Amino acid sequence: MSLTRKISGDGTGSVESPTLLVREGPDKGAARQIEGTLTIGSRPESGLCLSDPTVSRRHAEVSRTAQGFLLQDLGSTNGTYLNGVRVDRAYLRDGAVLTMGKTSMVFVPGQGGELRREGAPSAFGEMVARSEPMKRAFALLEGLAASDVTVLIEGETGTGKELAARALHERSPRTARPFIIFDCSTVPAELMESELFGYARGAFTGATDSRPGAIGEAEGGTLFLDEIGELPLNLQPKLLRLLDRREYRRLGTAELKKSNVRFVAATNRDLGSLVREDRFRRDLFFRVSAARVELPSLRERPEDIEFLARHFLEELSRGRGGLALEDGALKALKGHSWPGNVRELRNVLETAAALNRSGSIGAADLPVFVAGQERPAEGSLRDAEAAAIADALRKAGGNKRKAARLLGIAPSTLYAKMKRFGID
């Protein structure tokens, strides 16, 4: 039995040319601007026509009203859901997630127009790209920046999750307030609660002073919870309470403190799998993923390799008269599988630029694990990644931390990949 609610509201979302962006389903990446009334359904004449067979011909519509943008179900078979709750009609807020059948969409404020190739942005903060998947991610991030909705950024190590979170903060009304990074993968489990929530003097042995914790330090600004999949189970209910009620307790106190913080989370893991394995709370997963943005790996967008390489070389050679990229080096860069993604690419070019004296980067200037590898077939990407790691380890003389730096990945990521690939 499904729960149907009529949700009222004042429509406090943006009222200037918002967009519905499909984030999951057969039509992922499609987007339509909402001018007057936008109909959503599977019939061809719909304003947003979806090919999802679980979507009704006339499923729902979104209309501009004096109070904001109103979502209405049109008698659909499978219902219309807003942020996980079945609704007949409801006003949309920035970052709201709409689900119809197997398709989910996000209500993006202020992003007028369909995301056509020529209109999508090619930069977001310090991140640049020419590939369509990244442009769509940039557009979604740009639309979410002005709101306070919690954002989950997903992607492999080195795809730019921290840069995306920082740019979200810089483009938000909170830009003058702190941007605090809390990396759940680097803080010891026994210190996690005190470092995140803070503590009072005398809360435990060695607590000679009070500390606000990452949440207190981020007050009024943005807290970036990096690698949230590593958050211990015993702390997850406390984070859920904070996200739901905007209140928390510091260690050693009974006082409930109010929090005015915007939360952005990131993970390189499949949180859905962690939920199924009972290693991550389902309710917390739904709470932190109010809006989800996936940053594709570099091997999924090879058209960005040359563009990024030339962009990085221009930055790295500023004041030195420029550095050219020879055809042989470009071929080698395009042939590498980039397990460390954009971070690895920049690190490789930074090393090559630092050692170069000729003003031109050739294949011989690149590490052997890049220069000596042909581009793998799609089915052999796993083997290519394992080979790149083995080459980096050989070049580093077996020093794992040095090999991780060469690959542009965290040591913990390298250890996990070595275990996965059976590399001793």
Side-chain angles (χ1 to χ4, degrees):
M1 180 178 178
S2 61
L3 172 67
T4 302
R5 296 182 189 174
K6 179 179 178 181
I7 300 180
S8 61
D10 57 2
T12 56
S14 169
V15 293
E16 294 185 8
S17 303
T19 295
L20 274 185
L21 176 63
V22 180
R23 69 176 194 183
E24 290 181 6
D27 305 286
K28 182 177 180 179
R32 290 296 184 275
Q33 182 183 10
I34 306 170
E35 293 288 0
T37 298
L38 177 71
T39 58
I40 307 164
S42 59
R43 64 176 186 170
E45 56 267 36
S46 300
L48 176 54
C49 179
L50 301 172
S51 58
D52 182 351
T54 59
V55 169
S56 298
R57 286 178 57 80
R58 293 185 73 253
H59 198 110
E61 68 179 18
V62 179
S63 305
R64 182 193 290 269
T65 73
Q67 291 75 37
F69 287 89
L70 179 65
L71 168 69
Q72 296 188 82
D73 184 84
L74 299 178
S76 65
T77 301
N78 295 321
T80 298
Y81 292 79
L82 175 62
N83 296 330
V85 177
R86 186 166 181 169
V87 298
D88 295 322
R89 61 199 307 270
Y91 284 99
L92 299 178
R93 296 176 181 271
D94 296 349
V97 177
L98 287 63
T99 304
M100 301 174 194
K102 296 180 180 178
T103 297
S104 71
M105 296 157 275
V106 64
F107 180 70
V108 181
Q111 286 292 300
E114 185 177 346
L115 298 180
R116 301 182 179 89
R117 175 178 299 270
E118 67 274 15
S122 59
F124 184 69
E126 297 180 29
M127 305 169 71
V128 293
R130 280 185 176 168
S131 64
E132 289 305 304
M134 281 301 287
K135 287 181 178 180
R136 286 195 292 269
F138 290 167
L140 180 52
L141 287 164
E142 193 76 60
L144 293 169
S147 73
D148 270 343
V149 67
T150 300
V151 178
L152 176 65
I153 305 172
E154 301 171 293
E156 295 181 5
T157 297
T159 50
K161 298 187 291 295
E162 183 181 324
L163 291 177
R166 190 179 296 276
L168 273 174
H169 171 72
E170 291 172 351
R171 282 163 163 69
S172 76
R174 298 174 180 266
T175 184
R177 304 296 296 166
F179 175 76
I180 302 298
I181 301 171
F182 187 85
D183 190 341
C184 301
S185 68
T186 60
V187 180
E190 62 273 16
L191 299 178
M192 187 90 63
E193 183 174 5
S194 61
E195 292 295 313
L196 180 58
F197 292 93
Y199 56 85
R201 181 180 178 181
F204 51 84
T205 303
T208 56
D209 293 299
S210 297
R211 288 193 59 182
I215 296 166
E217 291 174 354
E219 182 63 22
T222 301
L223 178 59
F224 176 47
L225 296 168
D226 201 6
E227 300 306 341
I228 194 172
E230 306 297 331
L231 189 71
L233 267 173
N234 66 306
L235 291 186
Q236 291 179 22
K238 296 183 179 182
L239 179 59
L240 180 63
R241 180 189 183 95
L242 173 64
L243 292 172
D244 277 343
R245 302 186 183 181
R246 299 291 162 165
E247 58 186 27
Y248 67 103
R249 284 189 178 93
R250 291 179 180 171
L251 237 61
T253 69
E255 176 193 4
L256 272 178
K257 295 186 70 67
K258 289 292 184 181
S259 173
N260 175 23
V261 171
R262 199 262 181 94
F263 293 90
V264 179
T267 182
N268 65 2
R269 308 184 67 179
D270 182 353
L271 290 188
S273 295
L274 295 182
V275 170
R276 290 189 291 274
E277 296 167 6
D278 293 325
R279 296 166 63 191
F280 199 87
R281 290 178 61 111
R282 183 178 298 274
D283 46 7
L284 180 58
F285 170 66
F286 288 128
R287 193 64 184 81
V288 300
S289 59
R292 295 166 67 181
V293 181
E294 183 178 357
L295 301 183
S297 64
L298 193 52
R299 64 179 173 275
E300 294 176 291
R301 47 187 181 103
E303 62 270 39
D304 275 339
I305 293 175
E306 180 176 357
F307 172 65
L308 287 170
R310 297 191 186 280
H311 171 77
F312 290 147
L313 285 178
E314 182 180 348
E315 281 189 346
L316 293 167
S317 63
R318 201 160 288 158
R320 293 174 51 187
L323 277 172
L325 186 64
E326 297 178 8
D327 290 343
L330 180 57
K331 182 179 178 181
L333 294 176
K334 289 182 175 181
H336 186 50
S337 60
W338 300 111
N341 291 292
V342 179
R343 184 189 297 150
E344 181 189 3
L345 174 62
R346 184 182 177 90
N347 286 353
V348 163
L349 292 172
E350 191 169 12
T351 301
L355 298 175
N356 184 271
R357 296 293 178 267
S358 68
S360 181
I361 302 292
D365 297 307
L366 302 176
V368 65
F369 64 86
V370 174
Q373 185 180 321
E374 293 295 324
R375 181 160 187 86
E378 193 66 29
S380 65
L381 283 173
R382 177 187 173 93
D383 294 338
E385 186 173 356
I389 290 172
D391 282 341
L393 285 164
R394 281 194 291 270
K395 186 175 180 64
N399 185 312
K400 298 183 187 68
R401 288 191 172 275
K402 184 176 180 182
R405 285 197 300 271
L406 288 171
L407 290 168
I409 61 179
S412 59
T413 302
L414 176 62
Y415 303 152
K417 289 179 181 291
M418 288 175 64
K419 183 177 180 180
R420 188 193 316 160
F421 298 142
I423 299 173
D424 185 0

